[in-house]
Every structure is written in C-alpha cells, then in structure tokens.
Amino acid sequence: MAPPPILSLALPSETGRVLSIQSHTVQGYVGNKSAVFPLQLLGYDVDPINSVQFSNHTGYPTFKGQVLNGEQLWELIQGLESNDLLYYTHLLTGYIGSVSFLSTVLEVVNKLRSVNPKLRYVCDPVMGDEGKLYVPPELVSVYREKVVPVASMLTPNQFEAELLTNSRIVSESDGRKACNTLHAAGPSMVVITSINIDGNLLLIGSHQKEQGLSPEQFKIVIPKIPAYFTGTGDLTTALLLGWSNKYPDNLDKAAELAVSSLQALLQRTVNGYKVAGHDPKSTSLEIRLIQSQDDIRQPQIKFRAERYA
C-alpha cells in the first residue's frame, strides 16, 4: 500500500509553505513564537526549526535551555530531505548567534533552492540596535558578504542597515541610499523597519522590481509608543513576508498592513499592562499576540505609505 500523501505538499496552501529558523521560548512571544502564529493566521503552512529553546527570553533575570548547533540543524534538513519534505516557497530567519550556525543556514538556502529555485529567502539580519551589537562581531561580515547576496528580502533596523552598508544613516536620503546599496548586493526588497531621524520614527521600504531599474521607495511615519517591547522585530518581518507575498508588486501596501497590525497589537499590549496596574515604561513588555489575532488577520490600515518621487 502506498503511504498517504503529505497534504501540505499535495494540496499546498495558496499562500505558501514557510521554513522558519528562529529562536523559541516556552513562555512569551519572541522568535518563532512571534512569527509562526501570525503567518498561520495569514494562511501559510509554517514549519519551525528552533535555533534555541529557552524557558523565557534573555531579558529576564535568568533563563535556561538549549542551543541548536549547525550540525544539528543540518541533521534536521537531512531528515526532511530523506522523506521528500524539503519543498518550501519561503525561508525565514531571525536571530542567529554564531558564525557556524549562520554558515549552515547558507547551506540550507542552497539546498532549498535546489528543490525550488524560486524559493524566497526573507532575512531579518539581527545584529544589534541603537549602536550596540547583540552578536559576535565576526557575524557582521558574514551577513554582509554572504547572506545579503542570497536574500530576497532584508528587514534590518537602522543600526543593522548601517553595518551592512558601511555607512551612517542620519537622514531619509541616507536611508534610501542604504537600500540602493543593498539592492546592488542582492535583495530585490529592502525594508529598514525603524529609523530615528530628528525625533521621528520612520520605516523606509524599497522594491527594485528589475535589475537596472530604479527602485520604488516609500516611507511610513510610525508613532512612538513610550515603552519597550520584545518580539516586535520578529513579528514585523513575519508580517512583511506574509503580506508582500500576497501583494508581490505592492510592497508599500504590504508594509501598510504590517505596520497597522503591529501598532494595533502594541497599543493593546500597553493597555493590558495598564489594566493590570503596571507602568508600561518601567520594563520590557511581552506582546499580546493571541489577543490581537483579528488585527493580524484583517488589519485596518491606519498608517499610510508615502512614495518618494
């Protein structure tokens, strides 16, 4: 008797099939815990590989858990391959803590593209924020020289975009130039997810639809919420993947939907802490992901993209 088919392969989702390699926490929403559920709500089949499994995120006084190494990651890929389960439309990666693991991720990209040459690799190059590195310095050159050229979409923050382009970003023009530099290195879509300029918080997006053509570029002004949240970068990149695949020629609309979802969720999170009698400004906040699923599935667009001429 023939084995039963894998329905996610035999009857694939209209949206896509995502392999997401990110961290995992038992409690709270960061990494895969922040990315998988939203993508599923948007109609994607998502297979997570947990690069770490921790009790909670590292902002707590203590955490316990395990770290996956590159060899163990490759074992999982081999297991999938041996059962003909390696067909994916998207690869999503977030925080990666070592050069060896990142090098294996590059091998995974090649392997997945040998199965599906059209695979889109969405990379959040998590390296740091506000001038501070979170990762070993040697990862920066690996991202710049090896990861950027094979990525389809990059979602750095301001500091990470500066690291990847060896430039300073102190104006909107600088942000747009950084996007152009990254396009020239590989990815057709670049979204700098947060840029602080003159006290204003912006997202700058850029889509180069064909090599040699000038990219379509836009900005979205984002309100500053006086609080610090965990997992928002992971969620933002997942939403950008989800919506950009639904609107492949309209990155600005995808960004409007992603930003509107995120802002509704953050406001709900702040309100929840206030109801619980906690000052949202005093500590990092765990996002209210499950309670915001309607805002993820059907966001009301309240933040509009403004195209650059």
Side-chain angles (χ1 to χ4, degrees), residues 18-22 32 35-36 39 46-50 90-93:
V18 181
L19 180 65
S20 181
I21 304 175
Q22 299 196 62
N32 269 332
V36 172
L39 283 168
V46 188
D47 291 349
I49 291 179
N50 298 325
H90 295 79
L91 172 66
L92 172 62
T93 62

Side-chain angles (χ1 to χ4, degrees), residues 58-117:
T58 56
Y60 281 86
T62 63
F63 64 93
K64 301 288 185 180
Q66 302 82 37
V67 177
L68 196 73
N69 61 38
E71 185 177 332
Q72 291 166 327
L73 169 61
W74 193 247
E75 279 184 14
L76 293 172
I77 297 299
Q78 289 178 314
L80 291 167
E81 183 181 28
S82 64
N83 290 294
D84 295 324
L85 299 174
L86 263 192
Y87 182 88
Y88 292 96
T89 59
H90 295 79
L91 172 66
L92 172 62
T93 62
Y95 174 80
I96 292 168
S98 70
V99 169
S100 63
F101 196 90
L102 185 55
S103 298
T104 305
V105 167
L106 288 165
E107 293 180 42
V108 172
V109 174
N110 291 333
K111 175 66 73 174
L112 295 181
R113 284 188 171 149
S114 73
V115 178
N116 176 18

Side-chain angles (χ1 to χ4, degrees), residues 45-264:
D45 281 312
V46 188
D47 291 349
I49 291 179
N50 298 325
S51 56
V52 305
Q53 176 166 265
F54 289 160
S55 54
N56 43 267
H57 70 70
T58 56
Y60 281 86
T62 63
F63 64 93
K64 301 288 185 180
Q66 302 82 37
V67 177
L68 196 73
N69 61 38
E71 185 177 332
Q72 291 166 327
L73 169 61
W74 193 247
E75 279 184 14
L76 293 172
I77 297 299
Q78 289 178 314
L80 291 167
E81 183 181 28
S82 64
N83 290 294
D84 295 324
L85 299 174
L86 263 192
Y87 182 88
Y88 292 96
T89 59
H90 295 79
L91 172 66
L92 172 62
T93 62
Y95 174 80
I96 292 168
S98 70
V99 169
S100 63
F101 196 90
L102 185 55
S103 298
T104 305
V105 167
L106 288 165
E107 293 180 42
V108 172
V109 174
N110 291 333
K111 175 66 73 174
L112 295 181
R113 284 188 171 149
S114 73
V115 178
N116 176 18
K118 294 182 178 180
L119 174 107
R120 293 189 59 77
Y121 174 25
V122 178
C123 173
D124 182 3
V126 180
M127 293 181 284
D129 198 7
E130 297 181 347
K132 180 182 178 183
L133 270 180
Y134 300 156
V135 298
E138 55 267 27
L139 255 75
V140 177
S141 61
V142 179
Y143 270 112
R144 186 189 301 130
E145 297 165 14
K146 296 183 178 181
V147 177
V148 169
V150 299
S152 309
M153 176 191 281
L154 277 178
T155 62
N157 60 31
Q158 181 175 359
F159 177 57
E160 291 157 351
E162 291 177 334
L163 290 172
L164 292 174
T165 59
N166 278 319
S167 65
R168 290 279 291 140
I169 299 174
V170 295
S171 67
E172 292 181 44
S173 177
D174 291 340
R176 296 175 66 191
K177 288 176 184 175
C179 290
N180 292 337
T181 300
L182 292 169
H183 285 314
S188 61
M189 293 183 178
V190 178
V191 179
I192 305 179
T193 54
S194 59
I195 300 182
N196 276 294
I197 296 174
D198 297 328
N200 297 312
L201 188 61
L202 306 175
L203 173 150
I204 291 182
S206 186
H207 187 189
Q208 186 175 41
K209 294 184 176 180
E210 289 184 37
Q211 282 192 338
L213 291 182
S214 295
E216 295 177 358
Q217 297 185 322
F218 62 90
K219 68 177 178 182
I220 299 177
V221 179
I222 302 171
K224 282 188 173 181
I225 298 176
Y228 175 75
F229 306 88
T230 55
T232 53
D234 309 315
L235 173 58
T236 299
T237 298
L239 292 172
L240 286 167
L241 184 164
W243 288 114
S244 66
N245 190 52
K246 290 173 182 281
Y247 297 99
D249 295 319
N250 201 343
L251 182 60
D252 46 355
K253 179 164 186 176
E256 288 176 343
L257 289 159
V259 169
S260 296
S261 281
L262 179 67
Q263 291 301 311

